[in-house]
Amino acid sequence: MNQNNENNQQNIERKRLYIYLAFSFGLAWALFFIFIINGYRWNSEDRMSSVLGLGMLAPLLANLITRLITKEGFAMTGKDSLMLGISFKNKKWIYLCLACVLPWIYFEIFALLEIIAVPEAFDLEYYKHAEIDKVLVYLYPVIIIINTSIVSFAALGEEGGWRGYMMPKLMKLMSLPKAIIVGGIIWGLWHAPLTCIGHNFGTDYIGFPYLGIVIMCIFCTVIGIILTFITIKTESIWPATIMHAVNNGNPSILRFFINSEIFEAKISNILIQWTMLLVPLCIISIVCLIIMNKKKE
Amino acid sequence: MAGLLYKDYVSVFRIKKINAVVCLIIFTVVFLGARILLRGNEAEVYDIYGNNTAVSVIDILFVSYYVLLQFAFAIILNQINIKIIECDTKNKIKEYIGGLPVSKNTYVASKYIFIAIVCYVMISVSYLYGIIISAYCLPGMACDFCDLGMANTITLACIFLMVSSVELPLYLMLGKEKSNLFKTGFWMIVAFCGIGLLLFGDGAWIEEHINLANIVEWYKNHTNVILILQMISPVIVLGIYYLSYRVSCRLISKKEW
């Protein structure tokens, strides 16, 4: 009898997840395809790409629509909630600080790896190309952390869906490692239309766009571990939102001292550059995974 | 906490059964939809100073709404402090909450969190509108205006958080009428001091030190300092906001409900 109840509950959760994914993919991909059909391609300097980036709001909208359909309710905190509340008690503030600082750390390590790979690209005067004062270069990560935390509605859109709805459902349906891998692949595939028009990797690389989609899935899985870890620890999506927003802001001081022309002349494949970014991310996510598994045991 | 926040939301934004926020969102969505539908029709272009400053009539219309939106935010934020306290006094909420398992600190925190949420939502809506409108604008003045609007939204929110940091403890402690009296008295004293300074002060000293040209010169020489201050001001403001919350908690803990 208990087994039957459990199976029924799992079936219900699975159906809810499918509804959520249908809306999340449907809304975002509809927007992406309207732009793609109209001939737009990703160009970070084009203002239209920012509009395309508003597809990031689709997962949160999908979460709200699914809750409306499945009558799960809109509780702010607690079990099966939107996880929009935040508490600093029980040392939860540490995870919030970690969420702010972690992207800075792994982007600096990434830049350091770039310098180690191509030492001649390191140029102390290169920051002048960015037409930015040296003081501001040193303050750049802090500025990014502050500004992206305030203007984090797009990241809230993604985290409100992926960490706020999909991951809790996946964790109910399967074991934690499986849930993280499946969640990462889903999240990576969600970006596929954007990857096909040059988002993150451009269009000029071997295996375009399939290899880009694969790397995106790996990247989403790895960063998903850290984001899930922070969400579980704080029982809130806000720290994950802030980390996501800061991550998108690319906070790094060292990158201002890397001559991109020399670097790209040596390592032109953008996928190799992304693999280098994955190195520090993998280390951090393995630590998170170990802590999460220990806690579960 | 969620209940207290919902109470504040209803008391501030429901005006005679009309939800001000919903109206604002509907207007914004309609304007955004209209802008997307009107894309490619920027035929009438005012070319004021050359190609780089071309402004379309359609752009002017939608950028004007952006200005109105910012004004609406300013009005809402300006009134929010008074409104939440006024409604609580009118409906005797404090007495009602006194009978519930809600601490005074939670009540105070709900006010601060509510204002912070309103600021966050306003920054987000302003950015959302700015991003979409500027994407469809012709390059030039209208685009620059949108960028300026987006950048100013954070400053605007910071100013209102600062004002709230001062006003909220006052309103929580003294209530609406006494606080308004206190504020009027304070500004009158400032005005009288100013007039007194102009009438009886050392004119030569004022002319020498409080000089617009000097201020502009100082601004030009210290652009970096100003830029850094502008960048880190949200953190400073949030710090002051938190301090104000602690002060309010301290003040209200001594007060009988």
Side-chain angles (χ1 to χ4, degrees):
Chain A
M1 193 69 177
N2 266 350
Q3 186 69 33
N4 265 348
N5 275 346
E6 209 170 285
N7 281 344
N8 273 344
Q9 192 56 39
Q10 283 216 336
N11 277 337
I12 291 168
E13 295 294 354
R14 193 169 289 121
K15 277 178 191 166
R16 285 171 175 172
L17 183 65
Y18 289 152
I19 294 170
Y20 163 76
L21 290 177
F23 277 109
S24 187
F25 275 74
L27 289 170
W29 282 26
L31 178 78
F32 297 158
F33 280 117
I34 287 169
F35 276 80
I36 293 168
I37 289 164
N38 281 307
Y40 288 111
R41 293 294 174 263
W42 187 272
N43 174 7
S44 56
E45 278 164 28
D46 184 0
R47 283 168 187 265
M48 202 53 85
S49 295
S50 308
V51 180
L52 206 52
L54 294 179
M56 286 171 87
L57 297 172
L60 179 63
L61 282 175
N63 182 357
L64 299 175
I65 296 168
T66 310
R67 280 171 186 278
L68 201 69
I69 293 169
T70 57
K71 293 173 182 162
E72 284 176 88
F74 297 94
M76 292 283 177
T77 52
K79 204 179 167 228
D80 292 330
S81 67
L82 287 163
M83 290 202 271
L84 282 170
I86 186 162
S87 165
F88 301 113
K89 286 171 187 167
N90 300 328
K91 292 182 182 170
K92 281 178 185 167
W93 61 272
I94 294 174
Y95 295 101
L96 184 69
C97 295
L98 214 59
C100 294
V101 178
L102 267 180
W104 182 8
I105 295 170
Y106 60 70
F107 269 105
E108 290 299 4
I109 297 172
F110 166 52
L112 203 67
L113 288 175
E114 283 188 325
I115 293 167
I116 292 166
V118 187
E120 56 270 37
F122 184 62
D123 180 1
L124 279 171
E125 298 297 311
Y126 195 71
Y127 74 90
K128 285 173 184 167
H129 285 250
E131 290 174 3
I132 175 172
D133 194 82
K134 204 167 188 175
V135 184
L136 288 175
V137 168
Y138 293 126
L139 281 173
Y140 184 74
V142 180
I143 292 165
I144 287 289
I145 290 168
I146 295 167
N147 283 303
T148 52
S149 302
I150 295 170
V151 190
S152 57
F153 65 92
L156 175 70
E158 279 210 50
E159 292 310 317
W162 305 127
R163 246 55 60 186
Y165 195 87
M166 184 186 73
M167 283 315 290
K169 290 278 180 273
L170 282 174
M171 280 155 67
K172 278 181 189 171
L173 294 170
M174 52 190 84
S175 63
L176 182 69
K178 262 189 191 173
I180 283 168
I181 292 167
V182 173
I185 292 168
I186 292 171
W187 191 20
L189 286 176
W190 181 84
H191 288 91
L194 293 180
T195 310
C196 292
I197 56 167
H199 177 241
N200 280 337
F201 310 107
T203 52
D204 189 23
Y205 57 87
I206 304 159
F208 168 80
Y210 308 106
L211 214 51
I213 295 170
V214 171
I215 294 280
M216 196 63 200
C217 286
I218 297 169
F219 177 77
C220 287
T221 308
V222 174
I223 202 167
I225 296 171
I226 309 170
L227 292 168
T228 307
F229 170 74
I230 286 174
T231 307
I232 290 171
K233 286 285 175 190
T234 54
E235 293 164 0
S236 165
I237 56 163
W238 286 108
T241 298
I242 290 171
M243 187 179 153
H244 191 147
V246 177
N247 173 77
N248 289 357
N250 191 354
S252 165
I253 299 170
L254 276 175
R255 78 187 183 100
F256 284 99
F257 302 106
I258 297 171
N259 189 325
S260 53
E261 285 137 34
I262 296 174
F263 183 82
E264 276 160 24
K266 290 268 179 184
I267 301 174
S268 58
N269 194 334
I270 193 144
L271 297 183
I272 298 173
Q273 293 173 31
W274 273 74
T275 313
M276 286 161 97
L277 174 62
L278 279 171
V279 174
L281 267 173
C282 279
I283 297 166
I284 299 169
S285 44
I286 287 167
V287 174
C288 293
L289 206 58
I290 291 167
I291 299 170
M292 275 195 283
N293 266 334
K294 252 186 187 176
K295 189 89 182 169
K296 225 176 178 186
E297 279 162 20
Chain B
M1 179 61 85
L4 288 171
L5 292 175
Y6 183 68
K7 170 189 69 62
D8 285 338
Y9 168 76
V10 172
S11 61
V12 172
F13 295 117
R14 282 256 172 98
I15 308 157
K16 289 181 183 168
K17 289 185 183 174
I18 299 166
N19 195 319
V21 172
V22 173
C23 286
L24 209 61
I25 289 170
I26 289 170
F27 272 120
T28 309
V29 170
V30 166
F31 264 80
L32 286 176
R35 183 66 194 95
I36 293 165
L37 287 174
L38 287 170
R39 73 187 184 279
N41 289 328
E42 296 85 1
E44 289 225 20
V45 171
Y46 288 110
D47 197 354
I48 305 168
Y49 302 111
N51 284 335
N52 286 334
T53 52
V55 183
S56 155
V57 180
I58 290 174
D59 287 348
I60 291 173
L61 172 71
F62 292 100
V63 170
S64 302
Y65 180 73
Y66 196 26
V67 178
L68 283 176
L69 198 66
Q70 303 251 5
F71 268 113
F73 292 161
I75 291 164
I76 289 170
L77 286 167
N78 191 31
Q79 288 296 313
I80 210 165
N81 298 328
I82 304 173
K83 269 273 188 184
I84 48 176
I85 303 297
E86 190 185 16
C87 286
D88 281 5
T89 318
K90 201 170 129 188
N91 300 317
K92 295 182 176 160
I93 295 290
K94 280 183 192 170
E95 287 83 345
Y96 178 65
I97 287 172
L100 295 172
V102 176
S103 69
K104 285 180 180 178
N105 282 6
T106 313
Y107 172 76
V108 174
S110 75
K111 304 286 170 211
Y112 280 84
I113 292 170
F114 180 71
I115 291 171
I117 291 172
V118 172
C119 277
Y120 182 82
V121 171
M122 283 177 180
I123 290 170
S124 302
V125 172
S126 174
Y127 264 80
L128 209 67
Y129 189 84
I131 285 170
I132 296 174
I133 291 299
S134 69
Y136 287 100
C137 276
L138 288 178
M141 274 171 77
C143 267
D144 296 343
F145 202 88
C146 287
D147 290 343
L148 195 69
M150 284 190 271
N152 281 345
T153 311
I154 296 179
T155 315
L156 196 74
C158 282
I159 291 167
F160 283 106
L161 280 182
M162 276 293 284
V163 172
S164 296
S165 305
V166 179
E167 281 189 348
L168 267 180
L170 208 64
Y171 281 121
L172 284 165
M173 188 63 194
L174 302 174
K176 186 198 161 192
E177 276 162 26
K178 279 183 190 170
S179 300
N180 281 346
L181 210 65
F182 181 85
K183 269 166 63 183
T184 314
F186 174 80
W187 287 116
M188 277 178 77
I189 291 168
V190 171
F192 280 125
C193 286
I195 293 164
L197 196 71
L198 288 172
L199 287 175
F200 310 109
D202 185 355
W205 185 91
I206 295 168
E207 204 175 320
E208 195 185 329
H209 289 88
I210 308 169
N211 188 323
L212 191 65
N214 282 350
I215 295 167
V216 171
E217 192 63 32
W218 186 89
Y219 183 85
K220 277 181 185 171
N221 293 335
H222 298 84
T223 44
N224 267 342
V225 179
I226 289 158
L227 200 62
I228 291 164
L229 274 176
Q230 193 189 345
M231 296 293 186
I232 60 166
S233 61
V235 175
I236 299 167
V237 169
L238 283 175
I240 294 170
Y241 196 62
Y242 179 73
L243 275 178
S244 165
Y245 159 68
R246 301 299 304 177
V247 170
S248 293
C249 285
R250 180 69 59 89
L251 290 174
I252 211 120
S253 66
K254 291 173 188 167
K255 203 183 165 193
E256 279 287 314
W257 276 15

